[in-house]
Amino acid sequence: MRIAFHGAARNVTGSCHLLECRNKRILIDCGLYQGNREMDEENRHDFGFDPASIDYLLLTHGHLDHCGRIPLLSRLGFKGTILTTAATRELARLVLLDSARLQEEEARYRNYKASKRRDRGEAVEPLYDTLDALNSLNAFADIASFAQPHELCPGIRATFHDAGHILGSACILVEMEEGGRQHRVLFSGDLGCEGRAILPDPARPPHADTVVMESTYGDRLHKSLKPSIEEFYLAINTTVARGGNVLVPSFALERTQELLYYLREGLEQGRLPNHLQVYLDSPMAISATQVFRRHRECFDAETWAVVASGRDPFDFPGLNIVRDVSESMTLKQMRGAVIIAGSGMCTGGRIRHHLRHNLWRREASVVFVGYAAEGTLARQIIEGAEVVRVLHEEVEVNAEIHTIGGFSAHADQRELLDWHALTGNPERTFLVHGEEAAMQALADQLTGTTVAMPRLHESFVL
Ligand code: ZN
């Protein structure tokens, strides 16, 4: 029995881990590297194993850094089965088709640039295309339900447990038996926070001999959620009262649905103006919200109560769905409205048009509700840039800027330690999916286990 780490090794993206037992090869996640040019290039490197040799891929959740290289795996010969929850399968479908389109666009753009330079070098091929994404979708199969063991083959079983991170997300326990020896490996996937809207708290983890745990926020504690919701309502109330628009750059999966949930609650409780107009201007977020509606089995008790009373958790009077680009363009006439659009870090998408038409207005505001990586437009605005470049134009930043930090989808240090304490003193704990400093801080706090921080392609006997 062996385990190898082919991604998210001292890094937060590209999750990909390989188990070997009884001549079977089982991959856990197959994520895309994201962040900058260097990381993009990393996606074109060898996987570290032959995709054709993989029997099973167990997918923890539908975020791109966990599923984004699946079409490439499929293009390079993977013929196995991808096992995951029904909700993750549907979200992954959206995410992978969108990613294929972006890969195609990026290749076209780079080739166009090269042709303008009269560069006669080799044309850039997309990492994968729409057909690769569609082909890979054929390999998906749903698990029956959480906490129910699924036999992959004699001697190897996988059980998914609710991770409370995004819709359908799971921790996965793999139980292996070889030569009369048993070994239980638990993969945390990405772990959610306690007390969030829509999803239940992460499920109690089973005991394991080896734990592979994420460490994104291994070195910090989160701000609490309640003051963040208050801050969100206050930003809307004050901006709308002075006739400005509230722009919310948002991530399409989970964060947008959480915002819709809180907007509905705020309106129902009379804490937001009852004539409030909200525009959801992101085709991806609109489709993702439909997937949420189809997967009520993933909801927590509060969201179930909303559904049971005949209400839609993600809908309210004054919510406008904007699919067409032409309709999106007309929003520049709007005053005193809330506009939710992607992308969350303002690196692409429709939010950039809205920023161009609103950033210079003193009465407007921009509310950041998620992580902004270094070098992104979101980060420049958050860090107080007075002028930014948006769609080839210099725009003054006069709008009020809010950064709301309490909407995290990842467990913080205390929650990670609490979760780990329930896994029953595993012999070994591998930390993945974190920057080195965060990993080290978490490693220093873990007791009753041997901690390792594997390097890329490093492998261990279990
Ligand atoms: Zn995630």
Side-chain angles (χ1 to χ4, degrees):
M1 288 184 251
R2 291 192 78 86
I3 188 166
F5 298 89
H6 297 294
R10 304 189 180 210
N11 175 316
V12 287
T13 61
S15 280
C16 188
H17 318 303
L18 177 64
L19 282 177
E20 288 176 75
C21 174
R22 291 183 168 231
N23 287 325
K24 295 283 179 204
R25 308 187 98 195
I26 301 154
L27 211 57
I28 289 82
D29 290 347
C30 190
L32 199 72
Y33 286 100
Q34 295 170 277
N36 53 37
R37 257 284 155 80
E38 261 168 56
M39 294 300 236
D40 285 350
E41 282 310 308
E42 191 68 48
N43 290 311
R44 294 182 185 267
H45 292 173
D46 201 328
F47 275 106
F49 53 84
D50 176 8
S53 72
I54 303 299
D55 300 286
Y56 284 94
L57 166 55
L58 310 178
L59 180 59
T60 61
H61 66 289
H63 273 151
L64 202 56
D65 62 326
H66 290 258
C67 70
R69 273 189 295 168
I70 289 177
L72 182 64
L73 191 77
S74 172
R75 178 184 200 156
L76 297 177
F78 169 72
K79 292 277 183 297
T81 303
I82 303 171
L83 207 59
T84 192
T85 62
T88 296
R89 174 176 51 77
E90 290 200 31
L91 289 179
R93 182 164 60 186
L94 285 180
V95 166
L96 296 180
L97 287 172
D98 185 60
S99 173
R101 184 181 56 78
L102 291 174
Q103 297 289 349
E104 288 167 356
E105 268 175 22
E106 168 76 12
R108 255 199 306 275
Y109 178 74
R110 285 172 65 179
N111 288 328
Y112 166 72
K113 283 282 198 195
S115 73
K116 283 193 85 171
R117 287 195 308 269
R118 298 182 187 280
D119 179 348
R120 294 187 185 277
E122 248 179 71
V124 178
E125 287 279 319
L127 184 66
Y128 51 79
D129 59 23
T130 302
L131 194 59
D132 297 318
L134 286 168
N135 287 338
S136 72
L137 295 174
N138 291 335
F140 278 73
D142 298 350
I143 58 152
S145 69
F146 282 134
Q148 198 173 318
H150 181 103
E151 186 168 71
L152 301 181
C153 62
I156 308 180
R157 305 197 299 174
T159 312
F160 288 58
H161 297 270
D162 198 339
H165 167 63
I166 64 166
L167 193 86
S169 64
C171 308
I172 303 176
L173 176 73
V174 182
E175 295 171 277
M176 306 184 290
E177 196 190 315
E178 192 171 35
R181 233 186 104 236
Q182 290 189 335
H183 200 89
R184 295 158 62 91
V185 189
L186 177 63
F187 294 87
S188 71
D190 285 356
L191 285 170
C193 306
E194 290 156 19
R196 284 169 63 214
I198 310 170
L199 300 179
D201 293 347
R204 187 188 172 92
H207 283 191
D209 304 302
T210 297
V211 169
V212 179
M213 183 163 82
E214 70 124 318
S215 48
T216 319
Y217 292 124
D219 58 349
R220 72 192 79 166
L221 299 174
H222 290 322
K223 286 189 197 166
S224 54
L225 182 60
K226 238 181 161 183
S228 296
I229 301 169
E230 300 297 326
E231 210 180 326
F232 183 48
Y233 290 163
L234 185 67
I236 294 173
N237 280 318
T238 50
T239 310
V240 171
R242 61 175 184 248
N245 290 324
V246 184
L247 305 189
V248 190
S250 186
F251 299 88
L253 302 192
E254 207 68 37
R255 188 58 36 85
T256 294
Q257 292 75 33
E258 282 177 346
L259 295 178
L260 295 176
Y261 186 100
Y262 292 129
L263 286 167
R264 177 192 52 74
E265 265 199 336
L267 285 161
E268 284 174 3
Q269 295 166 359
R271 305 180 59 200
L272 291 170
N274 57 16
H275 56 270
L276 185 68
Q277 293 296 307
V278 177
Y279 293 86
L280 179 55
D281 186 20
S282 156
M284 175 84 163
I286 295 164
S287 301
T289 308
Q290 294 288 26
V291 175
F292 272 64
R293 290 195 177 101
R294 289 159 53 87
H295 290 282
R296 297 170 176 187
E297 77 279 6
C298 300
F299 293 170
D300 65 3
E302 289 82 358
T303 311
W304 263 110
V306 175
V307 173
S309 71
R311 290 170 296 161
D312 180 332
F314 315 111
D315 198 11
F316 46 83
L319 175 63
N320 305 276
I321 300 298
V322 184
R323 273 200 188 268
D324 286 352
V325 176
S326 56
E327 209 184 326
S328 171
M329 295 296 181
T330 65
L331 296 183
K332 67 179 175 211
Q333 260 75 270
M334 215 53 73
R335 295 292 173 268
V338 176
I339 302 172
I340 303 172
S343 70
M345 298 193 204
C346 310
T347 47
R350 297 181 180 179
I351 193 68
R352 292 180 304 169
H353 293 274
H354 302 306
L355 287 169
R356 186 169 68 179
H357 294 296
N358 289 278
L359 260 184
W360 55 274
R361 297 176 188 276
R362 290 191 185 282
E363 69 276 19
S365 64
V366 186
V367 182
F368 291 98
V369 290
Y371 178 72
E374 226 165 290
T376 58
L377 178 56
R379 183 71 161 255
Q380 289 171 37
I381 299 172
I382 289 169
E383 287 184 343
E386 287 173 9
V387 177
V388 290
R389 212 172 158 74
V390 190
L391 298 171
H392 315 293
E393 247 178 56
E394 306 275 319
V395 183
E396 269 184 53
V397 184
N398 296 326
E400 197 177 347
I401 308 301
H402 299 263
T403 312
I404 302 184
F407 289 121
S408 181
H410 280 274
D412 66 7
Q413 189 191 56
R414 185 190 59 77
E415 289 164 323
L416 288 170
L417 291 170
D418 288 352
W419 183 86
H420 188 273
L422 296 170
T423 61
N425 294 322
E427 288 159 28
R428 209 161 16 171
T429 300
F430 292 104
L431 296 183
V432 294
H433 200 289
E435 302 295 349
E436 271 193 60
M439 276 188 180
Q440 193 55 59
L442 186 64
D444 293 345
Q445 302 284 325
L446 285 168
T447 52
T449 182
T450 305
V451 182
M453 304 193 295
R455 298 195 174 276
L456 189 63
H457 304 308
E458 201 173 354
S459 118
F460 299 80
V461 174
L462 294 172

PDB file of all heavy atoms in Angstrom, residues 41 46 52 57 60 143 197 235 255 304 358 373 404 412:
ATOM      1  N   GLU A  41       1.474  27.035 -16.129  1.00  0.00           N
ATOM      2  CA  GLU A  41       2.409  26.154 -16.840  1.00  0.00           C
ATOM      3  C   GLU A  41       2.524  24.799 -16.148  1.00  0.00           C
ATOM      4  O   GLU A  41       2.685  23.770 -16.796  1.00  0.00           O
ATOM      5  CB  GLU A  41       3.785  26.816 -16.967  1.00  0.00           C
ATOM      6  CG  GLU A  41       3.853  27.863 -18.058  1.00  0.00           C
ATOM      7  CD  GLU A  41       3.319  27.374 -19.409  1.00  0.00           C
ATOM      8  OE1 GLU A  41       3.775  26.307 -19.865  1.00  0.00           O
ATOM      9  OE2 GLU A  41       2.437  28.046 -19.993  1.00  0.00           O
ATOM     10  N   ASP A  46       3.975  16.772 -16.569  1.00  0.00           N
ATOM     11  CA  ASP A  46       3.578  15.390 -16.350  1.00  0.00           C
ATOM     12  C   ASP A  46       2.783  15.255 -15.041  1.00  0.00           C
ATOM     13  O   ASP A  46       3.132  15.873 -14.045  1.00  0.00           O
ATOM     14  CB  ASP A  46       4.895  14.588 -16.237  1.00  0.00           C
ATOM     15  CG  ASP A  46       4.668  13.132 -16.504  1.00  0.00           C
ATOM     16  OD1 ASP A  46       3.573  12.650 -16.172  1.00  0.00           O
ATOM     17  OD2 ASP A  46       5.599  12.487 -17.029  1.00  0.00           O
ATOM     18  N   ALA A  52      -3.689   6.535 -17.912  1.00  0.00           N
ATOM     19  CA  ALA A  52      -4.358   5.307 -18.363  1.00  0.00           C
ATOM     20  C   ALA A  52      -4.326   4.211 -17.296  1.00  0.00           C
ATOM     21  O   ALA A  52      -5.104   3.253 -17.353  1.00  0.00           O
ATOM     22  CB  ALA A  52      -3.707   4.802 -19.652  1.00  0.00           C
ATOM     23  N   LEU A  57     -11.249   7.501  -9.762  1.00  0.00           N
ATOM     24  CA  LEU A  57     -10.984   8.851  -9.261  1.00  0.00           C
ATOM     25  C   LEU A  57     -12.107   9.176  -8.287  1.00  0.00           C
ATOM     26  O   LEU A  57     -13.288   9.134  -8.655  1.00  0.00           O
ATOM     27  CB  LEU A  57     -10.951   9.853 -10.419  1.00  0.00           C
ATOM     28  CG  LEU A  57     -11.023  11.336 -10.075  1.00  0.00           C
ATOM     29  CD1 LEU A  57      -9.938  11.760  -9.104  1.00  0.00           C
ATOM     30  CD2 LEU A  57     -10.911  12.185 -11.334  1.00  0.00           C
ATOM     31  N   THR A  60     -13.603  14.956  -4.228  1.00  0.00           N
ATOM     32  CA  THR A  60     -14.133  15.519  -2.970  1.00  0.00           C
ATOM     33  C   THR A  60     -15.160  16.622  -3.217  1.00  0.00           C
ATOM     34  O   THR A  60     -16.153  16.697  -2.522  1.00  0.00           O
ATOM     35  CB  THR A  60     -13.008  16.086  -2.065  1.00  0.00           C
ATOM     36  OG1 THR A  60     -12.326  17.139  -2.767  1.00  0.00           O
ATOM     37  CG2 THR A  60     -12.024  14.997  -1.653  1.00  0.00           C
ATOM     38  N   ILE A 143     -22.351   8.474  -5.926  1.00  0.00           N
ATOM     39  CA  ILE A 143     -22.428   7.590  -4.758  1.00  0.00           C
ATOM     40  C   ILE A 143     -23.885   7.571  -4.291  1.00  0.00           C
ATOM     41  O   ILE A 143     -24.662   8.465  -4.630  1.00  0.00           O
ATOM     42  CB  ILE A 143     -21.528   8.071  -3.595  1.00  0.00           C
ATOM     43  CG1 ILE A 143     -21.921   9.502  -3.165  1.00  0.00           C
ATOM     44  CG2 ILE A 143     -20.068   8.006  -3.968  1.00  0.00           C
ATOM     45  CD1 ILE A 143     -21.622   9.801  -1.729  1.00  0.00           C
ATOM     46  N   ALA A 197     -24.558  29.555   6.460  1.00  0.00           N
ATOM     47  CA  ALA A 197     -25.874  29.390   5.840  1.00  0.00           C
ATOM     48  C   ALA A 197     -25.833  28.225   4.851  1.00  0.00           C
ATOM     49  O   ALA A 197     -24.763  27.851   4.369  1.00  0.00           O
ATOM     50  CB  ALA A 197     -26.253  30.666   5.112  1.00  0.00           C
ATOM     51  N   ALA A 235     -23.627  48.320   4.464  1.00  0.00           N
ATOM     52  CA  ALA A 235     -23.063  48.842   3.210  1.00  0.00           C
ATOM     53  C   ALA A 235     -24.182  49.069   2.192  1.00  0.00           C
ATOM     54  O   ALA A 235     -24.211  50.097   1.503  1.00  0.00           O
ATOM     55  CB  ALA A 235     -22.031  47.863   2.654  1.00  0.00           C
ATOM     56  N   ARG A 255     -20.573  31.174  -2.601  1.00  0.00           N
ATOM     57  CA  ARG A 255     -20.607  32.537  -2.046  1.00  0.00           C
ATOM     58  C   ARG A 255     -21.826  33.290  -2.569  1.00  0.00           C
ATOM     59  O   ARG A 255     -22.535  33.937  -1.813  1.00  0.00           O
ATOM     60  CB  ARG A 255     -19.309  33.285  -2.401  1.00  0.00           C
ATOM     61  CG  ARG A 255     -19.144  34.643  -1.722  1.00  0.00           C
ATOM     62  CD  ARG A 255     -19.192  34.567  -0.203  1.00  0.00           C
ATOM     63  NE  ARG A 255     -18.584  33.370   0.322  1.00  0.00           N
ATOM     64  CZ  ARG A 255     -17.285  33.221   0.559  1.00  0.00           C
ATOM     65  NH1 ARG A 255     -16.469  34.209   0.351  1.00  0.00           N
ATOM     66  NH2 ARG A 255     -16.818  32.093   1.042  1.00  0.00           N
ATOM     67  N   TRP A 304     -33.801  23.982   5.118  1.00  0.00           N
ATOM     68  CA  TRP A 304     -34.948  23.078   4.943  1.00  0.00           C
ATOM     69  C   TRP A 304     -36.228  23.744   5.424  1.00  0.00           C
ATOM     70  O   TRP A 304     -37.286  23.626   4.797  1.00  0.00           O
ATOM     71  CB  TRP A 304     -34.737  21.781   5.743  1.00  0.00           C
ATOM     72  CG  TRP A 304     -34.195  20.681   4.893  1.00  0.00           C
ATOM     73  CD1 TRP A 304     -32.941  20.152   4.961  1.00  0.00           C
ATOM     74  CD2 TRP A 304     -34.875  19.989   3.853  1.00  0.00           C
ATOM     75  NE1 TRP A 304     -32.800  19.172   4.011  1.00  0.00           N
ATOM     76  CE2 TRP A 304     -33.966  19.053   3.316  1.00  0.00           C
ATOM     77  CE3 TRP A 304     -36.155  20.083   3.300  1.00  0.00           C
ATOM     78  CZ2 TRP A 304     -34.292  18.194   2.268  1.00  0.00           C
ATOM     79  CZ3 TRP A 304     -36.485  19.232   2.247  1.00  0.00           C
ATOM     80  CH2 TRP A 304     -35.563  18.302   1.744  1.00  0.00           C
ATOM     81  N   ASN A 358     -18.794  52.464 -12.340  1.00  0.00           N
ATOM     82  CA  ASN A 358     -19.151  52.854 -10.967  1.00  0.00           C
ATOM     83  C   ASN A 358     -18.001  53.246 -10.048  1.00  0.00           C
ATOM     84  O   ASN A 358     -18.209  54.002  -9.113  1.00  0.00           O
ATOM     85  CB  ASN A 358     -19.922  51.710 -10.281  1.00  0.00           C
ATOM     86  CG  ASN A 358     -21.318  51.547 -10.845  1.00  0.00           C
ATOM     87  OD1 ASN A 358     -22.247  52.263 -10.453  1.00  0.00           O
ATOM     88  ND2 ASN A 358     -21.485  50.615 -11.783  1.00  0.00           N
ATOM     89  N   ALA A 373      -6.353  37.280  -4.449  1.00  0.00           N
ATOM     90  CA  ALA A 373      -4.939  36.917  -4.569  1.00  0.00           C
ATOM     91  C   ALA A 373      -4.113  38.134  -4.986  1.00  0.00           C
ATOM     92  O   ALA A 373      -4.631  39.075  -5.581  1.00  0.00           O
ATOM     93  CB  ALA A 373      -4.763  35.806  -5.591  1.00  0.00           C
ATOM     94  N   ILE A 404     -15.209  42.455   3.507  1.00  0.00           N
ATOM     95  CA  ILE A 404     -15.886  41.705   4.566  1.00  0.00           C
ATOM     96  C   ILE A 404     -15.242  40.327   4.672  1.00  0.00           C
ATOM     97  O   ILE A 404     -15.278  39.539   3.732  1.00  0.00           O
ATOM     98  CB  ILE A 404     -17.400  41.619   4.280  1.00  0.00           C
ATOM     99  CG1 ILE A 404     -17.973  43.040   4.156  1.00  0.00           C
ATOM    100  CG2 ILE A 404     -18.097  40.831   5.382  1.00  0.00           C
ATOM    101  CD1 ILE A 404     -19.452  43.115   3.963  1.00  0.00           C
ATOM    102  N   ASP A 412     -11.030  27.263  10.003  1.00  0.00           N
ATOM    103  CA  ASP A 412      -9.836  27.954  10.491  1.00  0.00           C
ATOM    104  C   ASP A 412      -9.025  26.999  11.383  1.00  0.00           C
ATOM    105  O   ASP A 412      -9.369  25.821  11.508  1.00  0.00           O
ATOM    106  CB  ASP A 412     -10.200  29.273  11.196  1.00  0.00           C
ATOM    107  CG  ASP A 412     -10.988  29.076  12.480  1.00  0.00           C
ATOM    108  OD1 ASP A 412     -11.157  27.917  12.922  1.00  0.00           O
ATOM    109  OD2 ASP A 412     -11.453  30.082  13.050  1.00  0.00           O
TER     110      ASP A 412
END
